Amino acid sequence: MLRDGQAVGDVGRSRAGWRPDKLREVREAHGLTLERAGERLREVAERAGITAPAANFQTLWQHEQGEVYPGPHYRRAYCLMYRGTEPELGFRHPLPDEATHLNLTPSSESRNGAHVLAVERALSQITPGTDSSDDHGVHQRIIDAWKRRHTGGDPNRPTLLIVGGFAGSGKSEFSRFISQLTGWPVLDKDPITRPLVERLLVEMGSEPNDRQSELYRDQVRPLEYQCLLETAYANVDCSISTVLTAPFVSEVQDVRWMQRLTNRCEARGVSVAIVWIRCDLETMHEYISFRSAARDSWKLQHWDEYATTIDPELRPAMPHMVVDNRLGAAISLTDQVRQVFGAVF
């Protein structure tokens, strides 16, 4: 098991674009000692709701010397503390067209042009995955829902926002961000179905954390998704906008499955929008390692075998939008926007 906040050493040392000297330069430019930087890092992480890193001066020194590549919780906290992006702080090369200078300054006013700009900038991560996807309409519904929380009024129909992607791609984190903007409830497959799934697997003679056997795929997984969808339909039937998150790897490739879902929602005046979280294998491995979930044990122990089942270029068969979270870029931006809003969230 990896230590708190640390990535595998060999992976860190070979990370493209990793410049540990930059991290030291930024700290010194802020006039911080290693001890004080660690204190502030813990404070920032706690305020942002990020799993608090130990952030002792020895670990920060290892980061700045390039001996240890900072894990995802550390990188998120660093970016918030120094108000910078991962490329700005020397953690990696920027992605093509990635915004590397955000200039998002917190304001004491709850609603102003800067806040709208911050939301729009974060939502720009949701891009069309197909020519027919209504990304502008979804952006506007999210912004209107956010405004409704503070000013009242929403001219749009209720929305079922489906957020899918492979394990460790950042689905849950992005879904929570959208929920914080809009007030829409999040229905996440794992916390909703896990107790039932684990007990069912044991009763059927398997292990509670089995997520790779034919028994799970053929007999348990369909019931898992049925429970999730029935929960979502309870909201749809009440015309409640909802964020629904799960891998949906098989489902989004099944046009008939998606059409049945869309038809049921449309019959109740609810629009369906699909957001696919694009991610790279290295980032997925890192996220899965750091969340330390028992259900991921097999994946981590047999990573090479598991990786052969992942197609990073997979996209839904229906009109959809894409969030590019390769190298954690989208999640880093949502962190920045959370900081801009502060108490507004």
Side-chain angles (χ1 to χ4, degrees), residues 124-299:
S124 70
Q125 296 292 309
I126 307 176
T127 59
T130 52
D131 292 338
S132 54
S133 62
D134 181 22
D135 60 304
H136 177 73
V138 173
H139 290 179
Q140 194 59 51
R141 288 199 293 276
I142 293 172
I143 290 175
D144 287 340
W146 163 63
K147 290 180 178 178
R148 182 187 59 187
R149 297 189 72 187
H150 305 285
T151 62
D154 182 353
N156 290 297
R157 300 170 63 189
T159 300
L160 180 65
L161 187 68
I162 296 177
V163 181
F166 289 101
S169 60
K171 301 183 299 297
S172 296
E173 188 67 31
F174 190 80
S175 297
R176 284 193 290 268
F177 170 67
I178 296 298
S179 178
Q180 288 172 317
L181 284 181
T182 61
W184 299 346
V186 174
L187 299 180
D188 191 321
K189 177 179 72 67
D190 286 329
I192 287 176
T193 65
R194 187 185 304 131
L196 179 63
V197 167
E198 291 178 353
R199 180 62 181 271
L200 182 59
L201 285 166
V202 170
E203 293 295 325
M204 298 176 73
S206 186
E207 299 294 328
N209 298 315
D210 171 19
R211 297 297 186 277
Q212 66 282 338
S213 70
E214 290 186 9
L215 172 67
Y216 168 75
R217 291 194 302 269
D218 296 342
Q219 299 189 47
V220 178
R221 187 184 183 280
L223 297 175
E224 192 176 19
Y225 276 81
Q226 182 179 347
C227 288
L228 178 66
L229 262 296
E230 291 301 326
T231 306
Y233 287 143
N235 281 2
V236 168
D237 290 344
C238 297
S239 297
I240 298 173
S241 290
T242 303
V243 182
L244 189 63
T245 183
F248 289 112
V249 174
S250 299
E251 287 72 17
V252 296
Q253 298 178 80
D254 187 338
V255 175
R256 290 183 297 178
W257 187 92
M258 291 301 307
Q259 194 61 60
R260 288 195 298 271
L261 170 66
T262 301
N263 289 345
R264 177 161 180 173
C265 291
E266 289 288 344
R268 288 158 177 77
V270 176
S271 300
V272 176
I274 305 170
V275 175
W276 184 257
I277 309 296
R278 180 186 184 189
C279 200
D280 57 287
L281 281 168
E282 184 176 351
T283 301
M284 291 183 216
H285 183 271
E286 187 177 43
Y287 283 3
I288 291 173
S289 298
F290 276 90
R291 71 187 184 191
S292 299
R295 66 186 183 280
D296 294 325
S297 298
W298 184 91
K299 296 183 183 74

Side-chain angles (χ1 to χ4, degrees), residues 28-183:
E28 292 176 347
H30 281 71
L32 297 173
T33 63
L34 284 170
E35 291 83 354
R36 181 55 183 150
E39 293 173 4
R40 289 191 57 185
L41 206 63
R42 291 191 294 273
E43 293 168 0
V44 166
E46 184 176 357
R47 287 199 303 269
I50 300 171
T51 302
N56 54 61
F57 75 91
Q58 294 98 333
T59 300
L60 269 62
W61 184 86
Q62 288 178 311
H63 292 167
E64 294 183 1
Q65 295 300 310
E67 293 184 4
V68 174
Y69 183 72
H73 299 315
Y74 271 104
R75 297 199 305 274
R76 292 175 67 182
Y78 274 129
C79 288
L80 289 175
M81 182 172 73
Y82 293 133
R83 301 191 191 285
T85 63
E86 288 200 3
E88 280 184 292
L89 299 183
F91 292 136
R92 59 175 173 81
H93 292 308
L95 293 171
D97 301 321
E98 180 182 0
T100 56
H101 300 285
L102 300 179
N103 298 321
L104 300 178
T105 303
S107 169
S108 59
E109 296 182 26
S110 61
R111 294 173 300 278
N112 59 23
H115 283 90
V116 175
L117 175 62
V119 173
E120 290 178 343
R121 191 169 279 170
L123 295 180
S124 70
Q125 296 292 309
I126 307 176
T127 59
T130 52
D131 292 338
S132 54
S133 62
D134 181 22
D135 60 304
H136 177 73
V138 173
H139 290 179
Q140 194 59 51
R141 288 199 293 276
I142 293 172
I143 290 175
D144 287 340
W146 163 63
K147 290 180 178 178
R148 182 187 59 187
R149 297 189 72 187
H150 305 285
T151 62
D154 182 353
N156 290 297
R157 300 170 63 189
T159 300
L160 180 65
L161 187 68
I162 296 177
V163 181
F166 289 101
S169 60
K171 301 183 299 297
S172 296
E173 188 67 31
F174 190 80
S175 297
R176 284 193 290 268
F177 170 67
I178 296 298
S179 178
Q180 288 172 317
L181 284 181
T182 61

